[in-house]
Amino acid sequence: FAVNPISATSGPMRIVPSSQRWAVDAARMQRALPDVDGDPCAWGMLALEPLLPGDVIVRDVRVLHGGTPNLGAATRFLPSLEFVLGWWAASPGYDWPDAACLPRELFERLPD
């Protein structure tokens, strides 16, 4: 979610639409994934901007994504929240590492 205004020059996130399907499609067709960095324009990367404070980006974690250059003077913050269904996290097919989180004692010291 955006905590500060994000514009084209402040390092917006970019995504590759429908890329969450690439690994499945590549495995089924027995071919390599495309080189996104080799020709980013060809893959239809979209910069998610402008964003205002409070705006939210909802995406599948498998979507190829990354930052763009921050040409502004201020640091760009874009905190994230990740959710997974309990039954999926307990399944043998789930292999995502646990994400680091803010320790409770630090959370309690944050200002209101």
Side-chain angles (χ1 to χ4, degrees):
F1 56 91
V3 294
N4 302 96
I6 296 176
S7 68
T9 60
S10 60
M13 178 188 289
R14 62 182 180 165
I15 65 166
V16 180
S18 301
S19 58
Q20 75 276 10
R21 299 280 311 147
W22 287 359
V24 172
D25 293 343
R28 186 177 59 236
M29 295 179 202
Q30 297 182 341
R31 62 181 182 167
L33 292 173
D35 180 11
V36 175
D37 290 324
D39 191 3
C41 292
W43 298 109
M45 289 196 172
L46 301 175
L48 302 176
E49 58 87 16
L51 297 176
L52 299 175
D55 285 350
V56 176
I57 299 168
V58 178
R59 65 169 179 84
D60 186 311
V61 297
R62 298 169 296 174
V63 169
L64 292 177
H65 66 285
T68 58
N70 184 352
L71 306 175
T75 301
R76 190 269 292 155
F77 296 99
L78 197 60
S80 66
L81 303 171
E82 297 179 8
F83 299 91
V84 64
L85 296 171
W87 66 265
W88 175 243
S91 74
Y94 182 80
D95 62 356
W96 293 86
D98 287 339
C101 63
L102 183 66
R104 187 71 180 176
E105 60 272 10
L106 291 179
F107 173 78
E108 296 294 338
R109 294 190 346 221
L110 292 173
D112 289 335

